[in-house]
Amino acid sequence: MKRRPLSCFLIVRDEADRIEDCIKELAGWVDQLIILDSGSTDGTVEICQKYTDEVHQTDWPGYGPQRNRALKLCKHEWVLNLDADEKVTPELRDEIDALLSQEKLDVNFVKIPWHTYLFGKPMRRGRYSTPQGKLFLNHEGVHFKHSQVHEALQIPDVKPLVLKSPLLHFSWRTYQHMQEKHLKYACILAEEKQQKGKKGSLGFAVMRFFTDFIQQYILRGGFLDGKRGFFMALVLAQYAFHKYAALAALQMEQACQQDNEK
């Protein structure tokens, strides 16, 4: 049986230093390659235009809404959702081809092993090694969670499958980029929590630092990745602390404003 047609989309901004490594593996393989760019000024758009005619420039409404925009542009039922810092290996491509060539395919959500690189080597344990739901059947009711970050895919009546071949993930350019990215996400999440009426405190933020470190380093086996595992556990502990410290800061600011208005 011929492989089922496959659409692929990426949402990007200022990824000129690494996006070509991603999309050159996709062009000529996927049946539709969609790029949604939200204001790049570094040549990202021009690089993408060498590989696909479907390069769209938009504003930035947040991760969830942007992915839903891209999903509406997909022509085919099967969709691959990637980021510019990810790379499909030949082995993964072959495995996806074999899967989508099966005559009877009783799955709608395919998770792919994630090999996240930290300072030159992949981590094998912990949060950033968890298989990611990147390939799915776009049927009625499928959408990304309408959130600014951590926009989980929502699939009614999910029927999952986990592949064997990995997707390579190069999330952080440098240590500074890693810290900036996590701090940015933490502050966005804090704002979302405040809008939903959730409360935070510095005490809870400190507690989360320690519990998230233990979860990543001990419970998820981060210690098996040696120095990189210890490093990643500390970074994720900081991330948890910043989420709730930022929420506490927003609450203190709000309380001061209310007092001044009295």
Side-chain angles (χ1 to χ4, degrees), residues 11-12 24-25 33 55 65 76 80 85-86 94 143 145 160 184 190 194 198 210 216-217 238 245 253:
I11 60 173
V12 304
K24 69 182 180 182
E25 303 297 334
L33 179 55
V55 180
H76 304 300
L80 181 63
D85 59 7
E86 295 171 329
D94 291 345
H143 67 283
K145 188 177 179 181
K184 175 184 175 181
Q194 185 191 41
K198 295 185 177 181
F210 291 105
Q216 172 70 15
Y217 192 64
Q238 287 177 314
E253 291 175 2

Side-chain angles (χ1 to χ4, degrees), residues 65 67 72 74-75 89 105 122 135 138 154 166 196 225 228-229 237 253:
R67 292 196 196 278
K72 290 180 180 179
C74 293
K75 299 176 182 177
T89 63
L105 188 55
L135 177 64
N138 184 21
Q154 311 293 301
K196 293 177 181 178
D225 279 322
R228 286 175 174 79
E253 291 175 2

Side-chain angles (χ1 to χ4, degrees), residues 90-232:
E91 295 79 13
L92 176 58
R93 186 175 60 208
D94 291 345
E95 191 172 359
I96 290 174
D97 283 343
L99 175 69
L100 297 185
S101 297
Q102 294 181 16
E103 185 174 351
K104 293 183 179 180
L105 188 55
D106 191 29
V107 299
N108 58 17
F109 184 55
V110 180
K111 294 184 178 182
I112 303 173
W114 221 19
H115 284 187
T116 300
Y117 280 71
L118 178 62
F119 307 139
K121 291 185 179 180
M123 294 181 293
R124 304 294 182 179
R125 299 291 188 275
R127 175 175 175 177
Y128 280 100
S129 65
T130 305
Q132 301 295 300
K134 293 286 185 176
L135 177 64
F136 58 93
L137 184 64
N138 184 21
H139 56 83
E140 185 176 356
V142 172
H143 67 283
F144 289 90
K145 188 177 179 181
H146 195 84
S147 59
Q148 296 297 305
V149 68
H150 297 325
E151 62 291 358
L153 182 65
Q154 311 293 301
I155 299 183
D157 190 26
V158 63
K159 299 175 182 178
L161 173 73
V162 180
L163 298 182
K164 296 179 180 179
S165 303
L167 177 68
L168 307 186
H169 182 215
F170 304 91
S171 185
W172 312 291
R173 296 177 174 92
T174 62
Y175 175 75
Q176 179 177 339
H177 179 230
M178 170 188 279
Q179 290 290 7
E180 290 173 346
K181 188 173 184 179
H182 280 98
L183 182 58
K184 175 184 175 181
Y185 285 5
C187 291
I188 291 173
L189 286 169
E191 291 175 358
E192 287 191 343
K193 289 179 183 297
Q194 185 191 41
Q195 292 170 3
K196 293 177 181 178
K198 295 185 177 181
K199 303 297 182 181
S201 68
L202 285 177
F204 186 73
V206 171
M207 183 191 73
R208 283 296 302 264
F209 176 91
F210 291 105
T211 58
D212 281 49
F213 176 85
I214 292 170
Q215 183 184 49
Q216 172 70 15
Y217 192 64
I218 304 297
L219 301 182
R220 289 187 169 183
F223 65 92
L224 295 172
D225 279 322
K227 291 181 180 179
R228 286 175 174 79
F230 184 72
F231 200 103
M232 195 70 251

Side-chain angles (χ1 to χ4, degrees), residues 62-82:
Y63 285 94
Q66 189 77 327
R67 292 196 196 278
N68 284 322
R69 281 179 177 175
L71 188 57
K72 290 180 180 179
L73 297 173
C74 293
K75 299 176 182 177
H76 304 300
E77 288 187 333
W78 279 95
V79 175
L80 181 63
N81 163 38
L82 295 180

Side-chain angles (χ1 to χ4, degrees), residues 12 35-40 56-61 66 69 73:
V12 304
I35 307 293
L36 252 66
D37 181 87
S38 56
S40 291
H56 308 271
Q57 294 177 279
T58 74
D59 62 347
W60 178 248
Q66 189 77 327
R69 281 179 177 175
L73 297 173

